[in-house]
Amino acid sequence: MRFLFLTPGLHPDHHGSIPRYATEAAELLASRGHEVHVLTLDPDSALTDIQLRNGTRIYRIRTHRGAPLSNWGEITRDLRYWVKKLLRETNLETLLATHHAYFERTLRGYRYAVTAHRPWHQECEITSSGHSDTIFGRIRFRWLSRRLKAIERHLFENANRIFVSSPSAQESIRTTHPSLGTRVQVVVPGVNPIRFHDPGDRSGIRAQLGVQSSDFVFLVVSRLESQCGLDELLEAFGSTLRAQTNARLWIAGRGSLGPKLERRIAQLGIGGQTRRLGVLSDAELIQHYSAANAVLIPNKVIPSGSMVAAEALACGTPILACRTTISGQWIPPQLPQCVADPGPEAFSLRMQQWASGNPPPPLVLHPSPNSRGTEDWSAVADAFEQAWEDFSTPPNLPVRK
């Protein structure tokens, strides 16, 4: 089988759920013996030689750092040139796939599958929240949001398959685009056990990171954006700290909310017990997952909680999730103490219970047996293979509709 992925970024060059998803899916398909090509956007590298990495052939399109549509036409022309070139290299049927609506123009006229992580206009709202303080800025923002929504609608309407990573993403996309109906299929991502595993010697790792034996460390791995639930999380931690002075909060990630979080941490007087970690490499993430007593999943709008939960569990660290985020996907019914109701009060109460040792956090959490594919990325690779089987035609026939 032959696949051509179009993605705005790849891990570890870029951080976030989309680069991780694109990389894991492409590399797993390559490990199964398939031919996998990846066209990716990169503001730092020109498209020169092909990069071979873990079985995938990577082609980089130079972009500049700016608004998503600022040089859309130029990038689309470059991408369409390389799509045509790669499709002409062989008679083997090729399935195109994308992880973002940015590539809608590039994919016009081709068969393709879409992996949708959230509506594009919602992404714009998350990253632009609080940035449009003037009336002209707000008008421009509303126009841009409607434009992105229309682009995404065209992408979905012409897609042969639409995969989403969580039930919350499925509901969000169905609500935004009701005409899609049941075409949105949940294919739950997992975790790469080679990249994420229990390293052992947790006491040594905690000592290396400056953690006292009595400290109870809560770790958050999230984008720092206004709709990720971080404001409420800080409120919850402030209440927890008043009741349990041994509580500590580590925050990994970056985003536009960073300066505001710093100010809020200072206002709550929790700076001495809170540690900002920034963006961590996989090796650093493993260490911090292992050093933490629990990983918090507070995300409300951005559906990245499932991926963080998978990583934490692979490293042997229990998770405490907001009920509206995790949707029971990773927490079996017999462990209700690992789920908190929405709101800082409910979350703080559960954090206090864990930090006090009553009840103690479960040593191991397992994915629900009803959630196929949550232990690794096999379900994602299976879905793309099935899509290729469904759309394949005899050689020499065009892939255009």
Side-chain angles (χ1 to χ4, degrees), residues 85-252:
K85 183 178 186 300
L86 292 171
L87 292 178
R88 289 170 181 166
E89 288 182 351
T90 179
N91 287 331
L92 182 63
E93 188 70 17
T94 303
L95 175 65
L96 278 69
T98 184
H99 303 281
H100 204 286
Y102 188 89
F103 303 98
E104 186 271 330
R105 281 187 179 179
T106 304
L107 294 168
R108 288 182 185 177
Y110 294 105
R111 281 198 311 271
Y112 61 88
V114 175
T115 300
H117 300 270
R118 68 188 66 91
W120 194 11
H121 76 283
Q122 189 181 91
E123 170 78 13
C124 178
E125 292 171 1
I126 291 170
T127 56
S128 303
S129 178
H131 294 182
S132 302
D133 297 328
T134 67
I135 185 171
F136 298 105
R138 290 192 292 270
I139 292 173
R140 180 181 179 279
F141 171 75
R142 285 195 292 269
W143 174 86
L144 180 60
S145 180
R146 289 195 295 269
R147 181 75 176 117
L148 299 183
K149 187 175 180 179
I151 293 169
E152 185 176 63
R153 184 179 68 252
H154 292 312
L155 178 82
F156 287 151
E157 288 176 348
N158 293 294
N160 298 91
R161 285 286 190 279
I162 304 171
F163 303 134
V164 295
S165 57
S166 68
S168 61
Q170 181 186 48
E171 180 61 26
S172 177
I173 291 171
R174 283 179 175 174
T175 301
T176 305
H177 305 284
S179 62
L180 298 178
T182 60
R183 294 177 55 208
V184 185
Q185 176 185 349
V186 176
V187 182
V188 180
V191 63
N192 187 329
I194 298 176
R195 290 193 169 108
F196 293 96
H197 54 273
D198 189 342
D201 191 21
R202 289 174 176 265
S203 298
I205 294 175
R206 284 169 64 90
Q208 180 182 345
L209 295 177
V211 181
Q212 302 296 318
S213 59
S214 60
D215 291 346
F216 193 99
V217 178
F218 293 101
L219 173 64
V220 179
V221 180
S222 173
R223 286 180 57 184
L224 309 184
E225 302 295 348
S226 58
Q227 299 186 49
C228 292
L230 296 173
D231 287 336
E232 289 191 357
L233 178 65
L234 291 180
E235 297 284 348
F237 178 67
S239 299
T240 301
L241 192 58
R242 288 191 291 271
Q244 298 294 329
T245 58
N246 66 324
R248 302 291 182 266
L249 179 64
W250 293 356
I251 303 174

